[in-house]
Amino acid sequence: MLALILLTEWSLFIKNTGPLQFYIQAGAYSFPTLAAAIPSSTSNINDFGAMPVAYLKYAPSSDYSVEVGKLPTLIGAEGGFTYQNINIARGLLWDVEPIVSRGVQFNASKGPISASVSLNDGYYSNRYNVMSGLLSYAINGSNTVSFYAEGPLGKVRQPFTAAAYSPTGTSSAIYGVEYVYSAGPWMIEPYMQYMHTPKSIRLSIPHAFSNYGASVLANYSFTNTVSLAGRVEYLGVGGKPGEMLNSTSVASTLTDLPADSHAWSITLTPTYQDGGFFARADLSYVAASAPAGLGLSGGTNTTQLRGMLETGFMF
């Protein structure tokens, strides 16, 4: 499979000075993810709207701030949108994480320590009973370690309407640890993640199950314009075949992998950037071990080879 993505429809409105600030991101976008079919911009806009991220920020000092609105998640090492990441397609671990949540977020920093805590609606459920947090410690100018966690504060109930809602995701607890090394031409970021979903008859989850995985992301800059990024990862998916499957025969785990399966992936992304112009290519491979007759994205294939091209201008 070869896909071409053109990032030419983003508009950013930012005020990042003074005590009252704002951030608005609008446009057409897609969330290409390994082991999943490439979604259309229309389907993603139906989920999160043409303005997926928009929030007000009150920052009375450089050490403290409060944000309210549609906020990017604190969970995971990869951002929601392609231009935020060293690879075009997001990885297997990203697929289980929330992307955008509505709520309020408190940020604070003191010396090498920074922390953020958010009360939000998790996987865009429109029910504000999820707490998430991120704690980072800058060991020195080149090394940083971070911990993140998210989980519901009470029982999750199916809302009447919420296009991007996942009862499985919002009812789950997710934990992770990241380490970032950045010096000279190198950026290396390993992280590990664990997600547990409790049994819930109300949400049609007959058994508790867990997902767990690890990933290493790396980027090497050969020159000021040419770099090569890579990602290697592993994901294990819990559940029982025949009991944890939804109507499309995909495990109710947000992973696009069947229950009781394991998968690993490798991605390489050479990038050229000169001023505001950039062009890059993704070559990725996914291999899964799954119960008989089951595969990726509700099909029977247990491998995926994908090539992608992305180009655009960043100002």
Side-chain angles (χ1 to χ4, degrees):
M1 177 186 293
L2 180 65
L4 176 66
I5 297 180
L6 296 174
L7 293 184
T8 58
E9 299 183 57
W10 277 118
S11 296
L12 298 178
F13 304 93
I14 304 172
K15 181 180 182 297
N16 55 11
T17 59
L20 187 60
Q21 306 173 18
F22 62 82
Y23 181 97
I24 299 174
Q25 183 174 329
Y29 54 94
S30 181
F31 298 128
T33 308
L34 298 187
I38 299 177
S40 67
S41 296
T42 300
S43 65
N44 290 139
I45 291 175
N46 287 341
D47 287 343
F48 297 103
M51 193 167 60
V53 178
Y55 57 86
L56 290 173
K57 181 177 182 179
Y58 176 63
S61 76
S62 59
D63 297 329
Y64 173 80
S65 65
V66 181
E67 301 170 0
V68 180
K70 298 172 69 172
L71 305 167
T73 183
L74 297 173
I75 304 303
E78 295 182 274
F81 305 96
T82 58
Y83 71 90
Q84 296 174 317
N85 302 296
I86 60 174
N87 305 111
I88 301 174
R90 266 52 56 86
L92 302 174
L93 274 66
W94 180 91
D95 206 8
V96 309
E97 301 162 3
I99 306 171
V100 175
S101 302
R102 292 166 289 200
V104 57
Q105 179 174 309
F106 301 89
N107 309 298
S109 62
K110 184 67 174 180
I113 298 176
S114 61
S116 296
V117 178
S118 175
L119 177 64
N120 56 69
D121 67 346
Y123 291 71
Y124 220 68
S125 69
N126 204 30
R127 296 292 189 271
Y128 299 88
N129 65 339
V130 174
M131 185 72 73
S132 57
L134 173 66
L135 177 66
S136 299
Y137 176 71
I139 302 170
N140 52 43
S142 301
N143 299 273
T144 301
V145 62
S146 301
F147 304 90
Y148 59 81
E150 177 174 294
L153 298 177
K155 293 183 178 180
V156 175
R157 293 176 171 82
Q158 181 77 33
F160 293 107
T161 57
Y165 178 61
S166 166
T168 302
T170 301
S171 66
S172 303
I174 186 168
Y175 311 92
V177 57
E178 305 173 50
Y179 176 81
V180 179
Y181 169 80
S182 181
W186 280 104
M187 189 289 296
I188 303 174
E189 183 176 10
Y191 78 108
M192 297 183 293
Q193 185 168 278
Y194 174 79
M195 182 179 190
H196 178 74
T197 302
K199 174 182 177 180
S200 175
I201 302 303
R202 179 188 297 106
L203 301 177
S204 300
I205 305 174
H207 297 280
F209 64 96
S210 300
N211 298 325
Y212 52 91
S215 176
V216 178
L217 299 96
N219 188 69
Y220 183 81
S221 298
F222 295 95
T223 68
N224 291 334
T225 58
V226 178
S227 62
L228 177 64
R231 176 184 57 215
V232 178
E233 58 185 343
Y234 169 84
L235 178 67
V237 179
K240 297 182 179 181
E243 294 181 329
M244 295 306 303
L245 300 179
N246 60 23
S247 60
T248 59
S249 297
V250 178
S252 300
T253 56
L254 305 171
T255 65
D256 289 285
L257 296 171
D260 190 27
S261 65
H262 306 267
W264 66 272
S265 74
I266 183 170
T267 306
L268 293 174
T269 309
T271 299
Y272 173 83
Q273 182 169 355
D274 187 8
F277 173 78
F278 74 94
R280 58 181 179 168
D282 243 16
L283 180 63
S284 61
Y285 179 75
V286 180
S289 173
L294 299 176
L296 307 178
S297 301
T300 58
N301 291 334
T302 57
T303 61
Q304 179 194 79
L305 178 65
R306 175 179 289 175
M308 304 185 74
L309 301 174
E310 179 183 55
T311 186
F313 294 88
M314 300 182 68
F315 302 97

